[in-house]
Amino acid sequence: MPKLSEIYISNWVHFNEKEMSLKGVPIHQNQTDSELKDFLVEVYKSSGLSYPKFYKMDNLSKSAFISAHYLTHESEVWKVSGESKKGVLIFNSVSSLETDYNFHKTYSPKDSIPSPSLFVYTLPNILIGEICIYHKIKGENLFFISESFDADEILAQCEQIFEFNALDQLICGWVDSFESKSNATLFLMERKVKQNESAAIKKLNKSNLELLYLNKN
Amino acid sequence: MENLKQELKLKILEELNLEDLTIEDLQDDTLLFGEKIGLDSIDALEIIVMLDKDYGVKIINQQQGIKVFHSIQTIADFIEESRKA
C-alpha cells in the first residue's frame, strides 16, 4: 500500500471563464470575452473531442469534464492503467446550486412541468459520473462540499483513497461553477512516475497543493 | 403537416441541445433513437414534456411512447391524430 510520500502530482489544469491553462501555461484564452457557456463550447471544439453528450451537461459538469480531458489526454500511463486503478476525488463549495436554481424555475409558476434534463444535474457528483463514463473509470470516486479549497482535507482523503483502493492514478481537485463563473483546478495524482519525467512533477504535499492552486495563472 | 414536422425538428434540435446535428440530419423518417441521432431516455422525457407543454398531448404508456418516438413523422402523426380526437 502506497504512502502519501510515494504519490506525485504529474499534471495540473486550471479553468475559469477567462482561460484554461496546463501546468500554468495558458492553452486557451477567452479573447472575445464570451460568456462561460460559449467559452466552454469553444474549448470543447478545439479539443478534438467528439462527445455530443458534452452539449447536454450543465456548466459545472462541462468545466469538470473538459478540465479532466486536458489533464489526462497526454498521459501515457493514464491510457494503459486499468479501469479499477483510476479514481476521482472532487471538492467544491456551491454544490450544484446554479442548476438547482434553474431547475426550480422550470416548475415555477405552479403547474408548469419540471425539466428532466436539468433534473439530472441537480447533484454535484454527477460531474464525476460524466468523467467516469467517458474515461471508463471504475475505481473509487468521492465528492465533498467544502467551504473553500482545503489542502489538509484533500490530503486526508487522498491518503484513504490510495491506501485502501490500490489506485494507480487519481483525478483530484476543486470544481465550482456559479453565476456564469467557473473555477476548476484538477491534479493528476499517481504513484507510477517515469524517472525521466521527474523534473515536471511535484510531490503530493500541502505546500505543493496550495501553491499550484493559488498560482493558477 | 409539413410545417408541424419542420417545427418539431427545430424544437428537438434546440431543446435537446443537439448542437452537432443540423436540420438536414433529421429527415422525416430518421430513427430518433437509432445510431445516427442517438437520443437517450432523458431526451425521451424532454420530448414528453415538450408534447404536453407545447401541443397539449400526452403519452400515456411506454408502448405508446415506443411507437410515437420512432421518427419525426410518427410524432407529427400522433399530434395530428390527438388534435382530431
Side-chain angles (χ1 to χ4, degrees):
Chain A
M1 288 185 187
K3 297 172 186 168
L4 273 191
S5 58
E6 297 166 3
I7 308 298
Y8 294 86
I9 301 171
S10 63
N11 202 3
W12 55 97
V13 62
H14 296 296
F15 174 80
N16 61 34
E17 65 282 357
K18 293 176 183 164
E19 184 178 87
M20 170 165 273
S21 66
L22 201 57
K23 286 188 169 174
V25 178
I27 52 172
H28 292 288
Q29 289 181 310
N30 188 351
Q31 292 171 331
T32 55
D33 207 20
S34 308
E35 281 187 40
L36 172 64
K37 65 181 175 63
D38 297 323
F39 183 49
L40 279 162
V41 171
E42 281 175 35
V43 175
Y44 165 77
K45 284 185 174 172
S46 62
S47 71
L49 281 166
S50 177
Y51 194 62
K53 197 172 185 299
F54 178 81
Y55 293 110
K56 297 173 184 285
M57 299 177 196
D58 66 356
N59 285 344
L60 181 68
S61 285
K62 278 180 179 153
S63 299
F65 182 87
I66 201 70
S67 297
H69 166 71
Y70 278 101
L71 184 74
T72 57
H73 81 300
E74 287 186 344
S75 167
E76 292 303 319
V77 180
W78 183 259
K79 286 172 193 161
V80 299
S81 277
E83 295 175 345
S84 60
K85 295 285 187 183
K86 296 187 271 195
V88 186
L89 168 64
I90 305 288
F91 294 74
N92 87 355
S93 66
V94 297
S95 182
S96 55
L97 190 57
E98 185 166 61
T99 299
D100 297 348
Y101 179 63
N102 289 333
F103 177 64
H104 180 258
K105 283 195 287 190
T106 67
Y107 61 88
S108 309
K110 206 175 152 189
D111 299 333
S112 50
I113 306 168
S115 163
S117 57
L118 281 176
F119 175 72
V120 171
Y121 292 99
T122 58
L123 282 173
N125 54 325
I126 296 303
L127 71 85
I128 290 182
E130 297 290 8
I131 292 170
C132 288
I133 290 167
Y134 180 78
H135 291 276
K136 299 181 173 62
I137 297 169
K138 294 183 178 170
E140 185 72 25
N141 66 78
L142 288 164
F143 194 102
F144 291 92
I145 311 293
S146 176
E147 203 167 304
S148 58
F149 183 87
D150 183 342
D152 286 324
E153 185 61 26
I154 290 175
L155 286 173
Q157 295 301 332
C158 283
E159 190 166 26
Q160 293 276 324
I161 283 186
F162 275 108
E163 188 166 343
F164 295 110
N165 294 280
L167 293 182
D168 285 340
Q169 291 184 304
L170 180 70
I171 293 175
C172 174
W174 180 270
V175 184
D176 249 344
S177 188
F178 189 60
E179 293 183 331
S180 296
K181 290 185 185 299
S182 271
N183 173 23
T185 299
L186 293 182
F187 307 102
L188 184 58
M189 298 176 178
E190 55 188 301
R191 61 193 178 96
K192 289 180 182 172
V193 178
K194 291 177 187 171
Q195 289 305 311
N196 60 2
E197 290 179 350
S198 59
I201 63 173
K202 307 277 184 187
K203 281 194 167 181
L204 175 57
N205 56 41
K206 182 178 178 178
S207 62
N208 277 338
L209 282 175
E210 290 179 340
L211 195 69
L212 296 175
Y213 177 75
L214 292 173
N215 291 344
K216 48 186 67 176
N217 294 315
Chain B
M1 179 64 102
E2 289 308 312
N3 286 345
L4 174 60
K5 285 190 281 190
Q6 190 74 1
E7 185 179 276
L8 282 168
K9 290 173 186 176
L10 291 171
K11 277 179 188 282
I12 285 175
L13 285 175
E14 187 181 335
E15 296 198 16
L16 304 186
N17 292 316
L18 303 175
E19 296 195 25
D20 276 357
L21 300 176
T22 65
I23 199 156
E24 286 74 32
D25 295 315
L26 269 183
Q27 297 298 310
D28 293 355
D29 58 353
T30 303
L31 277 180
L32 294 176
F33 290 83
E35 208 167 276
K36 187 175 176 185
I37 308 298
L39 301 188
D40 60 23
S41 56
I42 302 298
D43 295 321
L45 289 171
E46 280 293 338
I47 297 174
I48 290 170
V49 170
M50 182 188 80
L51 292 178
D52 191 350
K53 193 173 66 179
D54 297 348
Y55 300 97
V57 297
K58 290 184 192 294
I59 301 290
I60 54 174
N61 59 49
Q62 188 183 0
Q63 287 310 310
Q64 186 187 37
I66 291 169
K67 195 176 155 192
V68 170
F69 293 156
H70 186 77
S71 65
I72 293 292
Q73 182 68 54
T74 56
I75 296 175
D77 289 342
F78 172 67
I79 293 171
E80 291 281 288
E81 284 163 21
S82 300
R83 282 172 170 172
K84 285 177 195 166

